[in-house]
Each structure stands twice: as C-alpha cells, then as structure tokens.
Amino acid sequence: MKTILVVDDKPNIRTMVKDYLSEENFRVVTAENGQQALYCARQEKPDLILLDIMMPKMDGFEFMRAYSKEQSTPIILLTARMEETDKVLGLELGADDYITKPFGMRELVARIRAVLRRAGHDLSADEILNVEGIYLNKGNHEVRANDKVINLTPSEFDLLAFLMASPGRVYSRLDLLEKLQGTSFEGVARTIDVHIRNLRLKLESDPSHPHYIETVFGVGYRFRRE
C-alpha cells in the first residue's frame, strides 16, 4: 500500500482528500504546514507528497528546498495559486506535477497514479547498485552512503557507477578516462585522481584511509569487494 502525505493548511481539504484516497486504497498521513510536513515526511517516508504552496510557518517552496536535500520523493503541487512563475519555480524545485484548486477527486487520483508509475518504474539490476553500504540508483541519479544522501557531480556519479559495477576489479587511470571521456575531461589521466579524491571526501568517514575506493599502487583504482 502506497503512503501519501497531504500537506495543506485547510482542515476541510486535508479531510476530503484523505477520505477519498483512503477509499482508493492509499495510506494517507497529513500535515498542516511545511514544518509539520518535514517532521512527518522524515517519520513516514511517503511514496508521494501532495503539497500546497501558500501555508503559514513554512510554505511549499521552502519545504521543497529543505526536503529535496534529503529525499527525492515525488511531489504534486496542490494549490489555488498557479501563476506561470509558480509553476516554473515548483518544477525547478523538483515537483513532478501540479493540480489547481478546485479539482476533481478522480482527476487527482489519476495524477497520483501516473506520477507513482513514473517514479516506480522497474529498474534492471545494472541500474541499481548496492555495494558495501553504498546505494546508487542510475534511474534517479541518487547516491546514498549508509542511508545518507550524497550529492555528486555528473562526472563523480559516472565514475562511481563504473567502479561499483565491478567491485574488486582494478581499473587504470586510462581505463577510467576512456570510460568517462566526453563528460568533463580533457584527456589528462591524472584528472581521475582529482575525482577520486573528491569522491573519497564525500563518501569516506576517513578519506585518508579509504574504505570504499581503494588504490592499487602502480595500477589504478578499484571499488572494495564485499
């Protein structure tokens, strides 16, 4: 059963949406402002968030800015304020869709199911890597180290994905450069060292004694085998 978090400062809307979605076999939790929603989302780990924009204490945009640093949960904006600038800002902040009040409940459910389908598409084994406590999802470009979200540049992400795909296998700097050529490299093999150092700073608890990305002296690098 999918969990939906409904965030709106109006009790009648929260109640109406909760009752209808519950009949559609969703588990529904609610919050009345962005601050409460942050706490609820962290506790409940919803599959999707219906989010009003205009709320006291913390509005929808502020909530998205804060929560997107922690999770990539799908969000549908649920609001009466839908000027073009609001739509653009909402989508730029990570919203997947928006629906304007007043809305029909059947349309709302259809939008929810559509977003959940897009967010929950089946990923092949090589699109999700999970090695030594590092979780990498190519589908949504997400990396977690021991359940903590790690923000990587595209080059760092591609390099980590390549190493994780074959844990224990050693790659030379030229191997890695050839794999990643065209992303941001200029053909200098030592550039790989810079990206490895940056990855260690972000992933390792002690970058000077790396646990995940190992150096094989005189050869290159490998991702630690479990």
Side-chain angles (χ1 to χ4, degrees):
M1 181 180 290
K2 299 293 186 181
T3 297
I4 310 296
L5 170 59
V6 180
V7 187
D8 198 294
D9 61 330
K10 295 180 175 55
N12 62 320
I13 291 180
R14 295 198 304 273
T15 300
M16 176 184 67
V17 174
K18 180 177 182 178
D19 290 348
Y20 195 92
L21 293 183
S22 296
E23 292 179 1
E24 294 291 324
N25 296 316
F26 291 104
R27 175 176 173 266
V28 183
V29 292
T30 64
E32 64 184 37
N33 57 59
Q35 287 183 355
Q36 193 178 95
L38 275 178
Y39 175 82
C40 187
R42 288 164 178 162
Q43 298 299 312
E44 300 291 343
K45 301 293 190 296
D47 298 285
L48 183 143
I49 300 171
L50 294 176
L51 181 67
D52 188 23
I53 290 180
M54 299 299 294
M55 295 181 294
K57 296 185 179 180
M58 177 186 285
D59 66 21
F61 293 145
E62 292 179 275
F63 169 86
M64 293 173 69
R65 290 187 183 98
Y67 194 59
S68 64
K69 298 176 182 177
E70 305 173 20
Q71 299 284 349
S72 57
T73 307
I75 294 175
I76 297 177
L77 297 179
L78 184 70
T79 179
R81 182 186 176 188
M82 270 289 101
E83 297 177 359
E84 192 66 27
T85 53
D86 295 323
K87 296 176 185 178
V88 171
L89 178 56
L91 295 174
E92 286 178 344
L93 290 175
D96 294 87
D97 200 355
Y98 56 85
I99 187 168
T100 306
K101 301 174 185 177
F103 50 84
M105 296 306 299
R106 291 180 63 182
E107 179 187 2
L108 178 62
V109 171
R111 298 282 191 93
I112 290 172
R113 296 194 189 283
V115 170
L116 286 174
R117 279 196 300 271
R118 294 198 297 270
H121 64 282
D122 294 331
L123 296 170
S124 63
D126 63 347
E127 287 184 298
I128 293 182
L129 303 172
N130 198 345
V131 185
E132 278 286 314
I134 302 294
Y135 170 89
L136 183 145
N137 187 325
K138 294 182 183 179
N140 60 16
H141 213 270
E142 178 185 18
V143 174
R144 293 175 178 273
N146 298 315
D147 291 329
K148 178 183 177 182
V149 175
I150 307 297
N151 295 316
L152 301 180
T153 68
S155 296
E156 293 165 356
F157 183 93
D158 290 344
L159 180 59
L160 179 62
F162 186 60
L163 290 170
M164 286 182 64
S166 300
R169 179 174 175 178
V170 181
Y171 292 97
S172 70
R173 293 178 179 85
L174 287 175
D175 289 334
L176 297 172
L177 185 64
E178 181 179 355
K179 176 64 180 178
L180 300 178
Q181 191 71 44
T183 54
S184 63
F185 299 103
E186 297 178 354
V188 180
R190 288 290 174 179
T191 307
I192 294 295
D193 296 343
V194 177
H195 290 278
I196 292 292
R197 183 171 68 247
N198 290 340
L199 277 171
R200 286 171 170 168
L201 288 171
K202 294 180 179 182
L203 296 174
E204 306 282 358
S205 57
D206 182 3
S208 62
H209 297 86
H211 174 80
Y212 300 112
I213 301 176
E214 300 175 325
T215 299
V216 180
F217 292 101
V219 184
Y221 299 101
R222 68 184 172 199
F223 195 88
R224 183 185 182 94
R225 185 192 298 274
E226 289 184 292

